[in-house]
Amino acid sequence: MKFKLPFNKKNETPVEIGAPRKDIGMLNPLKNDFVQSIKDATHNPADLIIKDIPPNHLTLIYINNLVDDVTLNDHIISNLQDKPNDTPEVIKATLSIPEINTSTRLEMAIKSLVNGSVLIHLEGYSQVIMANIPKRESRNLSTPENESQVLGAQVGFNESLSTNISLIRRYIVSPDLCNEKFTVGRRTNITVALLYINGIADDQMINTLRQRITDLNIDALLDSAVLAEMIDDNSMSVFPQMLLTERPDRFCDGLLNGKLGIVVDGSSMAIVCPQTFIEFFQSREDQNLRWQLATFARLLRFTAILLSVFLTPIYVGALTFHYEVIPQAFLVPLSESRALVPFPPVIEALLLEFIIELLREAGARLPTKIGQTIGIVGGIVIGTAAVQAGITSNILLIFVALSALASFTTPSYIMGNVIRLIRFPIIILAGYWGFYGIMLAFCFILIHLLRQSSLGAPYMSPFYPPRLKSMADTIIRLPLSLTSKRPEVTRPSDQEKFNPEPVKPDKS
């Protein structure tokens, strides 16, 4: 006898004592119920395709434009016709599909469906066959746009995860290249690949990064830049602790030095970590140049960064508080250029810096041809008009233009934006306290950098803590024979990259 209770205390739904319990996660063997459960779980979208194959009571369900039509017609539908009285095991063995699985759970079927699989259901069986034949739209391989170089490879990542991993395996042809995949995002279900080289990468760093990825509880993940910010050691810092790169050769160079890499499906930028502060200003092309030329390029780059950060604040501090540091021969033209300017130096500098950043942002957001025209014409017209109208001096215009030009020498796009951003508070402090304000800002930035870490590794390595052996490839680039060891910041299991002994000529 069955007795009805009014409500269940947990979910307040009518229940029956003695009634068989139904597991809503199990697939129904009846065709109509199975199709209806798929429709209900996916909210019956317009691109949900349901096909019947009458001879053997088969039902095919897939989402249009997510599966490869050629594979569907040639390897699935053609093989399933005219084969009555088959079982799921026979059907699975009949299909020549590389990735094919079975499941009795509705959750697994839906997850496979939205990832580009065809669900094959045989009437009377409570399991479904999942043939994975995804069709991923992606652009063709092209040269990197943000990390261009003259010498070296000229190919960059695109938005396809499988294509990006194949590019990486083209550089690192080794069975020690490990690839672990995770699913991130409750609604997006984006595939994230963690790559490292077994025998080189540190196990503790691998476990730390693996835990940070698996512990993410977010609704959506659409780009690798979002993932990098969420797994940073300090996401509140303006300085990035992980490198975003679109170059496979730079990505693989990091893996070979004991670093870890992350590739996100749908993103053309890959993540490399741990990353030190000094490495953001190094280019992969430095390894392709002779060490003398590479050293000159790096010194030029670091000089440009210092000019970009401190040139305009020094101008503001000198004109506001410290006239004695200005050479006497330079005082007359400087005073003449500022004779008609009604603003104090700090307001003048901030106004001109804002105009430069406005032109840069407008040029970046407009189409390429229009953006270049707006940047060049706008800079010339606005700069000339501002000087003639007495809004700014021509000397400051030169300093601000030189600072903006120097900021673009940074190989990392994100670090270049950081360099341009920190100029503004330094200019403000220089306008209030002169050179003392500049030193205060410098000390604050230095202390902040010393406190940062990247995946537990010191951010200012190898300068703090000091590691003399790792300084051979920092501000200067010594000959390759002196850089045979991997950087200590990654704690590599194998420290030797190659034999530093020179090759002896064969006298035979």
Side-chain angles (χ1 to χ4, degrees), residues 247-481:
R247 301 196 61 89
D249 53 349
R250 191 172 189 182
F251 182 89
C252 295
D253 184 61
L255 296 185
L256 293 171
N257 281 323
K259 298 184 179 183
L260 313 180
I262 301 175
V263 183
V264 179
D265 191 16
S267 176
S268 62
M269 304 291 288
I271 305 173
V272 180
C273 58
Q275 188 78 359
T276 61
F277 176 75
I278 203 69
E279 289 176 331
F280 282 98
F281 306 101
Q282 299 174 355
S283 174
R284 180 64 187 84
E285 192 176 16
D286 296 343
Q287 305 297 327
N288 301 331
L289 295 172
R290 305 291 293 183
W291 68 271
Q292 300 91 339
L293 299 176
T295 299
F296 173 76
R298 287 187 180 180
L299 292 176
L300 181 64
R301 201 175 298 141
F302 286 114
T303 303
I305 294 166
L306 293 177
L307 290 177
S308 176
V309 175
F310 295 109
L311 184 60
T312 306
I314 290 175
Y315 171 87
V316 173
L319 286 185
T320 307
F321 297 99
H322 311 284
Y323 283 101
E324 66 277 4
V325 302
I326 303 176
Q328 186 175 3
F330 196 61
L331 282 174
V332 175
L334 186 61
S335 59
E336 290 178 353
S337 66
R338 282 195 46 81
L340 300 178
V341 179
F343 305 113
V346 59
I347 301 299
E348 178 191 7
L350 289 175
L351 179 62
L352 201 54
E353 288 280 359
F354 176 76
I355 294 175
I356 293 294
E357 290 299 320
L358 191 63
L359 287 172
R360 185 191 67 84
E361 188 67 18
R365 301 295 169 230
L366 290 173
T368 305
K369 296 182 179 179
I370 301 177
Q372 293 177 353
T373 304
I374 291 296
I376 297 174
V377 176
I380 295 175
V381 172
I382 294 177
T384 305
V387 172
Q388 293 179 353
I391 298 177
T392 182
S393 63
N394 51 10
I395 296 179
L396 178 61
L397 182 63
I398 296 174
F399 286 168
V400 171
L402 183 60
S403 300
L405 182 64
S407 66
F408 289 103
T409 61
T410 306
S412 174
Y413 175 78
I414 296 181
M415 185 59 75
N417 289 336
V418 173
I419 296 300
R420 289 190 289 269
L421 175 64
I422 62 177
R423 282 206 306 260
F424 287 92
I426 299 178
I427 291 173
I428 295 174
L429 289 176
Y432 278 97
W433 295 314
F435 290 169
Y436 299 103
I438 297 177
M439 288 304 301
L440 177 64
F442 174 76
C443 293
F444 177 81
I445 294 174
L446 181 60
I447 293 172
H448 176 74
L449 292 175
L450 292 175
R451 290 171 55 88
Q452 300 307 308
S453 62
S454 176
L455 206 62
Y459 193 54
M460 291 300 292
S461 179
F463 302 103
Y464 178 82
R467 295 187 176 97
L468 296 178
K469 294 182 180 180
S470 299
M471 293 184 184
D473 189 20
T474 52
I475 298 179
I476 62 175
R477 209 216 85 181
L478 295 181
L480 292 177
S481 59

Side-chain angles (χ1 to χ4, degrees), residues 104-121:
T104 59
R105 306 289 301 181
L106 177 62
E107 180 183 0
M108 293 297 298
I110 297 300
K111 184 178 179 180
S112 180
L113 178 68
V114 297
N115 278 283
S117 293
V118 177
L119 303 183
I120 305 173
H121 181 258

Side-chain angles (χ1 to χ4, degrees), residues 215-251:
D215 289 349
L216 285 176
N217 186 15
I218 59 177
D219 193 63
L221 176 66
L222 299 178
D223 194 78
S224 57
V226 179
L227 178 63
E229 183 177 352
M230 298 193 70
I231 62 178
D232 270 346
D233 289 26
N234 182 12
S235 59
M236 301 301 294
S237 174
V238 69
F239 292 94
Q241 294 109 53
M242 297 185 180
L243 175 67
L244 289 173
T245 180
E246 57 181 346
R247 301 196 61 89
D249 53 349
R250 191 172 189 182
F251 182 89

